[in-house]
Amino acid sequence: MPPSGATARRRLSLPPPPPNDLEPPACPVPPSPPVRPAVAATLLAAGVAATPAHAEDPAKALRLGAKEKLIPRGTVTDPDGTVHTRYERTYEGLPVLGGDLVVHKSGNGTVEDVTKATEETIKVPTTRAKVPAPTARRSAVAATSADAPTGQEPRKVIWAAKGKPVLAYETVVTGRQKDGTPSRLHVITDATSGKRLFAHEAVRSGTGNSQWSGKVKVNSVKSGKNFVLKDPARGGNQVFNARHRKIEQGPFPGFSNPTDTWGNGKGSMPQTAAVDAQYGAAETWDYFKSVHGRKGIRNDGKGAPSYVHYDDNMDNAFWDNDNFFMAYGDGPGNKRPFTSLDVAAHEMSHGVTGATAGLYYFGESGGLDEATSDIFAAMVEFRAKNPKDPADYLFMEKLGAKPERYMDRPSKDGHSADYWFKGLDDLDPHLSSGVGNHFYYLLAEGSGKKTINGVTYNSPTKNGKKVAGIGRGAAEKIWYKAVTTYMTSTTNYKGARSATLKAARDLYGTKSKQYKTVQAAWDGVNVK
């Protein structure tokens, strides 16, 4: 049953498919890292198992073309039995990037609603490319600003994330970003004209004695006479010592000790950064499990490896969505490890977004990806209640003279956007994320001046109207449900407003304070 005050979900009335025109078919777009065959098979099996046997075929209900096929990516089931299934789409066997969708079915299998990354009909005149693949690869390599770029063999795709679908190539170009972070740039090239259409970065940049969080508990396992810094209670999360090298220069050793005491709280001891990384991974795992019922980044119960002391003088930390690992640099002179709790939670939350909404890392969808990681980083801190690192709505405040970002008024960093404006799409995702961060702060805490854990905030609204927050508990549940259930690869801020309103409707009903505050908070950041 829907919660008190909730209105029934809208039932989608779809005309029956024409007799010979359509077939079972097709939905979403494979996200740009393509799903590898083994992963696709696992998701397909999970999707079929989770779908009621008597449910109508979503492809037929959506009247997709005979050349389209759907590949289930996973499902979310609500307490009332509603099933939300994510799909990727293919066209004549080619991945459709930007064609992903979510089908929302009632407990009896009736399609009630559909969330699409694109409303365009997926169709191209031909799947025969005029531009040779080697030409597309050279063009992709030439277009990147990364150091020492190398292009992998392009794959042919349908590009549907912006405008009319076209036949294209996707080339993954590897190299190094300006701050030393690895680059895995997915470049989309028109297969007919050779024109570059789009580029998307897959690498998201961002009892032991830790350097940033004080004395903390970390799990280990006994191996022979030594202990190994590996966490069996959380999917086998393990930290490795990259010894200032890159991933391709591995493999790297794990951390072992004759006693179960790790680090000394100082950066001079390599184990100290490992303690911070393991603690951050554990707190992030526990947050998603206890608050949202999610078992690990991919919700499959498996942990992700973390690499500390990554590369030489790397002034960053990052999540590699293609290869599923976390890495922490030691900063300039290798003296400032990027292993604070909010950094760990931020980067690993990129993995959760990649495994669910799959937001493309450009424009407003990229801003939403960054905002999601900032939001969950703050929520992990509030749940952790670490006295050495009091929770706040600031990001990376432990690592520098001032915070990297401010959620109550993002423009305090001198660059980020407080409100939506025409042209926001052109900003770097770390700056356009300000709109999402500001919305979330207003939703949770409200507008105006207040002090939380010793930090003073003063959050304004674009329309000058006061917003009364609904609290972190309700806000985090609404945002998580919106990301995992209603956002797709191309969701922009207008779409995020719709997604969070649907999430609030499902959780609390349309007459609730929570639903009305979602509306007010988006109004406050000029997202209408």
Side-chain angles (χ1 to χ4, degrees):
M1 296 294 291
S4 176
T7 58
R9 290 183 174 87
R10 176 171 65 88
R11 177 169 176 166
L12 188 65
S13 300
L14 297 172
N20 301 317
D21 243 4
L22 303 167
E23 270 193 359
C27 259
V29 165
S32 182
V35 175
R36 286 162 287 200
V39 177
T42 301
L43 292 174
L44 181 59
V48 171
T51 302
H54 60 283
E56 58 186 279
D57 187 328
K60 288 182 178 178
L62 295 172
R63 302 187 64 181
L64 299 178
K67 295 181 179 181
E68 298 175 84
K69 301 294 179 185
L70 292 178
I71 302 175
R73 283 184 58 196
T75 62
V76 174
T77 303
D78 292 348
D80 67 357
T82 300
V83 178
H84 312 270
T85 306
R86 286 189 179 274
Y87 292 93
E88 295 175 355
R89 193 184 320 196
T90 64
Y91 177 88
E92 288 194 18
L94 299 179
V96 183
L97 306 185
D100 50 296
L101 55 84
V102 187
V103 176
H104 313 280
K105 292 184 180 181
S106 65
N108 65 11
T110 302
V111 176
E112 296 178 324
D113 205 351
V114 181
T115 305
K116 295 181 179 180
T118 179
E119 295 293 338
E120 295 282 346
T121 299
I122 306 301
K123 186 177 181 180
V124 295
T126 179
T127 55
R128 293 184 179 180
K130 290 185 179 180
V131 176
T135 301
R137 179 170 56 187
R138 288 194 296 270
S139 173
V141 171
T144 182
S145 60
D147 293 334
T150 302
Q152 298 176 4
E153 188 66 26
R155 67 166 183 164
K156 203 186 296 183
V157 300
I158 305 299
W159 175 244
K162 280 196 168 186
K164 186 178 179 180
V166 297
L167 182 67
Y169 286 109
E170 182 185 43
T171 307
V172 179
V173 181
T174 59
R176 292 165 64 88
Q177 300 179 45
K178 291 180 180 179
D179 62 2
T181 306
S183 175
R184 291 182 59 82
L185 193 69
H186 291 245
V187 180
I188 308 299
T189 308
D190 192 308
T192 300
S193 67
K195 180 182 177 182
R196 175 176 165 172
L197 302 174
F198 164 79
H200 166 258
E201 180 59 68
V203 175
R204 304 294 194 265
S205 46
T207 311
N209 294 293
S210 75
Q211 185 169 354
W212 306 115
S213 301
K215 186 162 287 195
V216 296
K217 183 178 180 180
V218 292
N219 281 356
S220 62
V221 295
K222 192 74 179 291
S223 178
K225 294 182 179 180
N226 289 334
F227 292 89
V228 176
L229 201 57
K230 184 176 182 178
D231 192 346
R234 298 175 178 88
N237 281 336
Q238 185 170 2
V239 185
F240 298 88
N241 188 355
R243 296 176 171 173
H244 299 131
R245 296 183 180 183
K246 299 185 285 290
I247 194 70
E248 58 270 23
Q249 296 172 305
F252 303 116
F255 285 86
S256 63
N257 233 10
T259 67
D260 203 13
T261 300
W262 304 86
N264 63 0
K266 299 178 181 178
S268 57
M269 187 177 186
Q271 278 187 11
T272 299
V275 170
D276 274 310
Q278 190 78 326
Y279 169 69
E283 288 294 338
T284 303
W285 178 287
D286 289 353
Y287 167 78
F288 280 107
K289 185 177 180 181
S290 65
V291 177
H292 305 296
R294 188 176 190 84
K295 298 177 182 178
I297 290 171
R298 287 178 174 159
N299 200 24
D300 58 3
K302 297 179 181 178
S306 296
Y307 297 91
V308 295
H309 310 303
Y310 190 91
D311 208 349
D312 192 34
N313 297 303
M314 192 181 81
D315 197 21
N316 213 336
F318 67 88
W319 169 260
D320 189 323
N321 209 41
D322 283 7
N323 295 301
F324 198 69
F325 72 85
M326 178 72 211
Y328 302 87
D330 282 341
N334 294 322
K335 294 180 178 179
R336 187 186 65 169
F338 275 73
T339 50
S340 61
L341 176 57
D342 58 356
V343 170
H346 173 101
E347 301 301 347
M348 291 181 179
S349 295
H350 277 308
V352 173
T353 301
T356 55
L359 290 161
Y360 282 131
Y361 203 68
F362 72 98
E364 292 188 24
S365 59
L368 282 166
D369 190 341
E370 281 297 328
T372 297
S373 284
D374 284 351
I375 287 165
F376 288 137
M379 295 303 95
V380 169
E381 280 193 348
F382 276 104
R383 184 189 176 279
K385 297 180 181 178
N386 188 314
K388 295 291 184 181
D389 186 5
D392 51 48
Y393 287 97
L394 312 173
F395 181 60
M396 282 178 58
E397 75 283 354
K398 299 279 287 185
L399 299 182
K402 61 180 182 178
E404 185 81 7
R405 287 191 285 281
Y406 304 79
M407 295 179 69
D408 65 317
R409 188 168 195 158
S411 61
K412 285 196 289 188
D413 67 8
H415 306 285
S416 293
D418 288 335
Y419 313 112
W420 186 90
F421 64 92
K422 189 175 182 180
L424 183 74
D425 200 54
D426 296 327
L427 292 185
D428 178 278
H430 293 92
L431 307 182
S432 60
S433 65
V435 177
N437 283 341
H438 194 188
F439 159 79
Y440 186 84
Y441 178 88
L442 289 171
L443 180 65
E445 305 293 349
S447 59
K449 190 173 182 179
K450 63 180 58 183
T451 301
I452 304 170
N453 287 347
V455 179
T456 300
Y457 303 95
N458 193 358
S459 193
T461 59
K462 178 70 172 178
N463 57 13
K465 294 183 179 180
K466 182 179 179 180
V467 176
I470 59 174
R472 292 184 288 274
E476 64 190 348
K477 287 181 173 60
I478 289 171
W479 191 264
Y480 177 81
K481 185 168 184 61
V483 171
T484 58
T485 304
Y486 291 110
M487 292 189 191
T488 66
S489 62
T490 62
T491 298
N492 57 15
Y493 277 112
K494 182 178 179 181
R497 177 182 175 119
S498 175
T500 49
L501 283 170
K502 288 178 179 179
R505 172 202 66 189
D506 294 351
L507 293 168
Y508 304 105
T510 57
K511 295 181 180 180
S512 65
K513 175 185 176 181
Q514 291 87 347
Y515 186 90
K516 294 175 182 177
T517 305
V518 170
Q519 292 177 313
W522 281 122
D523 289 346
V525 296
N526 200 36
V527 176
K528 306 293 179 61

